[in-house]
Structures are given as structure tokens and as C-alpha cells.
Amino acid sequence: MLLRRVAGATRATVLALAFAAASGAPAATLIHAGRLIDGVSDTPRIDQTVVVEAGKITAIENGFRSPASGDQVIDLKNGTLLPGFFDMHVHLSSEYNKNSEIEEYKLNEADVAINSVVYADRTLMAGFTTVRDLGDEFLVTIALRNAINAGKVPGPRIVAAGKAIATTGGHADPTNGWAHRFQHDPGPEEGVVNSVDDARKAVRQRYKDGSDTIKITATGGVLSIAKNGSNPQFTEEEVRAIVATARDYGFKVAAHAHGAEGIKRAVRGGVDSIEHGTFMDDEAIKLMKERGTVYVPTLSAGEWVFQQAQDPNFFPPIVRPKALSVGPQIQQTFAKAYKAGVKIMFGTDTGVSAHGKNAHEFKLMVDAGMPPMEAIKAATSVPAKFLDLDDKVGSIAVGKLGELVGVLGDPLKDITTTEHAVFVMKDNTVYKAP
């Protein structure tokens, strides 16, 4: 059992754990939780001990078990233990700032890769033990995923899309905003398609790259250097070809989509999730409910771009009007979709907003009308099932992995407690403890 960067851990605790590891003693981690939210039940349990051994939960007991020799005790008697959080929409290879447009020309692949290691660490320390990365640069999150899985660097479990798939001039066309003398005609290898055949080839290229999932940009976007942020950018036939090919390779498909027509084309085309969904209308909501399409609202990104757009010099002039219109609308759309019964998963689009602040999304969801327990499930058991990981993570149960987060206080009374993780455990390593 490893202990890394434990805030407040005593020297005696560290030495005791080191001795136990050296002597081969089967040390257990006992988490004494004043409140346990398991990610599935509607009611928390009070005064529980969760026992983690060799990376798995081996017992959940009423009361506070006394430790055996070599055991580590995590004192959360005044707090709440929850499953490790999922963020279903992040971009670990970047973090938007006032200089982002020029940084695309100044940062080398190595710079982006090193930044991604920093952002992954911040994400994990905020209590997010699994993320879905929906579009990167230079395929760095695929390499980062492999490094985390090999134990080389700390970070969350990553489900990586690699390069997002766009159309020419679309939201994920990597040459948008370039001077004409630098532009070229990118194709499927670079994630740009303009036909059914291109669409199939782009999915196959993502498989070759080592991606875990597929991301398409079904409409324009806010931060791309292009005028329209909501127009449809794929034909329905192209979406169907992407989805059909993705199924051959075991991929799910996420669709960035702001405008109603692009959302409906994506849903009819068979995508698994709609990201942002800013201007979805009643017909889109009906289609999503009928087809089981999941909504990932990314309220944090909407709030952040709107706040930054108050500064007339922060965004490029072509971006600012989009940020001003999209930002306030996302939360209204979320409230409407939730009331209508659309299935919702937690996702932030972090990388637009700052890494490590992901849990602010909980407050925005609750402020828009989602009860705190449902918001927590949207970040635990719901995405775990969506990703077919619910046999391992997403809830606190005997036999599941010990991927856990602890906060002080009661998030059901004050959801902002989730923004201050005091305990984080993953891969049989305690990364943070009270």
C-alpha cells in the first residue's frame, strides 16, 4: 500500500506504512466515514468503516473498526465518503487562456505533453478518478493514459478519444484561423471528413491511434476561430457512417453539438451522448429520450466563457459574441432537459475552465434544479454504467476497486463540499488524506 503526498500525514504514519510494506504485512486501509454515499442508494449510511485491501473493498461495516497492526486509518468521522468522481468531458492536453490562440504556434508537442501530466494530477487531487477526454493535441492523452495505467505518473483513469472528428472548417478542423498561406486540406488522419468514406476512415484511424472512444463536432463551437457556433456541420449520412464503423470497433460516439438541427442529426445518426446541447429544442429532447441518448451539459464551460467574455479583450473578436450567447443558455437548457427526463451525466469541458476545479459543476447542476443525490449519481454510478466499468468502479460495494473520495461535511446539505476533497484513493494509493 503506497502513500503519496498525503496532506497532514504524520511522519509516524508514513514510517509505519513503510515498515508494513517492507515486512510484507497485509496492511489494510480503514476509512472511518461519518457518512457514506455509495453512488447507488438514495439514502446515505451513517458511521461506517470501509476496508480496502490490495486495491479492493473487502468489507463495509457498521461502526468504526479498530485497526490491526500495520493498518492505516483515514478519519472521516466528520465527513462523507463517496465513490471516486467521473468527469465525462475533459481536455487534459490544454487549458484555455488569453494567449491560447498564439500558443498553438509556440508550444511544442513536448510542452503539451508535460502540461497534460500537471493537469491530470490536479484532476486526480480534486477527487476525479476517471475522466473521458474528448479531443486532444498530438495524441498526448493516449500516451498519458498509458503512463498512468503503467504507474509512471499519477492521474485519473482516462477514456481517450484522441483527435476529434470534424468537417472542413468545422469546430475541430485544426487549420481554422490560419493564414491562407499556411492552410492545407486536412483529411481523415487529421480528423477532417467530407464524405461517408472519409467518415469511416477517420474512425479507423482513431482505432489505429489507440483511442478508446470517438468524438465528433456535429455543430460549430464557441472557441473555434469560426463565425457560427451552432450550425450543423455533418450530414446525417456521415454521422450514421461514423456510428456504424465505431460499433465495428467497440467504440461509443460522443457528439459536441450546440444547435438544435445538429443535435437532432447526431441523435438520429445514433450517437451515444450529446455534449453541451445548448440550443436543444423540444423535438431534440423527445428524440434523446426515445433513443436513450445521454446528455453531458458542461455547465462549467458555459459559465466560464460567459464570464471571460465580459472582458472585451480576452477572446478573439470572432469568439466573443458566441461566448456571450452560449454561456447563459446552457444552464436553462440543462434545467429543461432534466425536468423532461433526459438521462444526464456529469461533464465539465475542463480545459476550457481550469483543471482541478471540476467539482464546481455539482453546484451549477444543483442550482439548476437537480437534487444533490442525483448530481452525485450523475458523476458516479451513471457514467460507470455508460462506460461498462460498473463492475469495478462508480459505487462503494464489496469487491469494487477502492477508488474513493472524501469531503468534510454533508454534500447533500451543501453540495459545494465536493469542491474540497480531503481524501483521494486510487490504485491502492492514498493521494490525499485529512
Side-chain angles (χ1 to χ4, degrees), residues 56 65 175 189 252 264 275 293 295 348 375 385:
K56 287 192 175 183
R65 183 205 280 191
T175 64
E189 183 174 355
K252 283 185 166 69
K264 287 181 278 194
E275 315 296 310
T293 314
Y295 178 34
T348 62
K385 185 173 182 180

Side-chain angles (χ1 to χ4, degrees), residues 14-85:
V14 176
L15 290 173
L17 286 166
F19 176 79
S23 65
T29 300
L30 311 183
I31 304 108
H32 290 168
R35 189 176 298 99
L36 186 151
I37 294 174
D38 66 10
V40 177
S41 304
D42 292 328
T43 305
R45 287 180 264 179
I46 305 301
D47 292 348
Q48 300 285 298
T49 297
V50 175
V51 183
V52 180
E53 297 176 275
K56 287 192 175 183
I57 298 170
T58 57
I60 302 172
E61 303 172 357
N62 293 325
F64 302 131
R65 183 205 280 191
S66 297
S69 177
D71 289 347
Q72 180 189 15
V73 175
I74 304 296
D75 185 357
L76 269 177
K77 293 175 184 174
N78 294 320
T80 303
L81 183 69
L82 307 101
F85 299 140

Side-chain angles (χ1 to χ4, degrees), residues 279-360:
F279 299 106
M280 74 169 66
D281 58 17
D282 291 340
E283 183 184 2
I285 287 173
K286 183 173 181 290
L287 278 170
M288 291 177 70
K289 288 181 65 178
E290 288 174 352
R291 298 176 182 237
T293 314
V294 183
Y295 178 34
V296 181
T298 68
L299 304 178
S300 296
E303 179 188 66
W304 189 88
V305 298
F306 181 74
Q307 289 172 346
Q308 306 316 310
Q310 306 312 304
D311 176 355
N313 299 312
F314 187 87
F315 289 123
I318 201 169
V319 169
R320 187 170 181 243
K322 296 184 290 180
L324 288 169
S325 66
V326 166
Q329 181 61 41
I330 288 184
Q331 199 158 16
Q332 297 176 38
T333 299
F334 168 83
K336 182 178 180 180
Y338 169 70
K339 289 177 184 177
V342 175
K343 184 176 287 188
I344 290 170
M345 291 191 300
F346 183 106
T348 62
D349 205 5
T350 295
V352 175
S353 53
H355 294 283
K357 305 295 185 182
N358 312 57
H360 178 59

Side-chain angles (χ1 to χ4, degrees), residues 4-281:
R4 293 183 181 169
R5 300 199 321 166
V6 176
T10 66
R11 177 177 172 81
T13 300
V14 176
L15 290 173
L17 286 166
F19 176 79
S23 65
T29 300
L30 311 183
I31 304 108
H32 290 168
R35 189 176 298 99
L36 186 151
I37 294 174
D38 66 10
V40 177
S41 304
D42 292 328
T43 305
R45 287 180 264 179
I46 305 301
D47 292 348
Q48 300 285 298
T49 297
V50 175
V51 183
V52 180
E53 297 176 275
K56 287 192 175 183
I57 298 170
T58 57
I60 302 172
E61 303 172 357
N62 293 325
F64 302 131
R65 183 205 280 191
S66 297
S69 177
D71 289 347
Q72 180 189 15
V73 175
I74 304 296
D75 185 357
L76 269 177
K77 293 175 184 174
N78 294 320
T80 303
L81 183 69
L82 307 101
F85 299 140
F86 285 64
D87 189 330
M88 292 296 282
H89 191 134
V90 302
H91 300 280
L92 289 173
S93 63
S94 62
E95 187 173 275
Y96 198 91
N97 63 76
K98 201 170 185 176
N99 300 312
S100 286
E101 190 177 6
I102 192 65
E103 283 182 353
E104 290 194 18
Y105 301 93
K106 294 180 69 175
L107 296 181
N108 294 311
E109 291 93 328
D111 298 315
V112 174
I114 290 172
N115 286 344
S116 74
V117 173
V118 175
Y119 299 147
D121 182 74
R122 290 179 188 168
T123 302
L124 177 63
M125 297 303 286
F128 288 81
T129 56
T130 302
V131 299
R132 187 175 56 155
D133 190 288
L134 292 182
D136 69 359
E137 298 180 78
F138 314 119
L139 305 180
V140 298
T141 54
I142 292 174
L144 178 62
R145 174 200 66 197
N146 296 342
I148 291 170
N149 290 347
K152 296 178 180 177
V153 296
R157 176 184 295 99
I158 297 174
V159 176
K163 177 66 181 70
I165 300 174
T167 55
T168 294
H171 180 54
D173 182 334
T175 64
N176 278 345
W178 292 12
H180 290 168
R181 64 185 179 275
F182 299 126
Q183 287 185 8
H184 60 284
D185 186 19
E189 183 174 355
E190 295 169 275
V192 178
V193 306
N194 290 288
S195 68
V196 166
D197 286 343
D198 277 0
R200 294 192 183 104
K201 185 173 182 179
V203 173
R204 291 167 182 150
Q205 181 66 47
R206 306 289 83 76
Y207 174 75
K208 182 177 180 179
D209 292 340
S211 297
D212 302 303
T213 194
I214 299 296
K215 157 81 173 295
I216 69 170
T217 55
T219 74
V222 175
L223 296 180
S224 52
I225 309 301
K227 183 177 181 179
N228 198 321
S230 59
N231 64 307
Q233 296 189 338
F234 280 83
T235 67
E236 195 169 317
E237 291 73 22
E238 289 166 340
V239 177
R240 290 184 188 279
I242 286 169
V243 171
T245 309
R247 297 292 184 259
D248 289 342
Y249 291 90
F251 292 138
K252 283 185 166 69
V253 180
H256 155 108
H258 288 289
E261 176 59 27
I263 292 169
K264 287 181 278 194
R265 289 185 193 181
V267 174
R268 288 194 297 262
V271 303
D272 300 282
S273 66
I274 294 292
E275 315 296 310
H276 319 303
T278 308
F279 299 106
M280 74 169 66
D281 58 17

Side-chain angles (χ1 to χ4, degrees), residues 412-426:
L412 300 181
K413 294 180 179 177
D414 179 5
I415 195 64
T416 65
T417 61
T418 58
E419 298 177 31
H420 309 286
V422 296
F423 170 64
V424 179
M425 185 176 194
K426 175 181 176 279

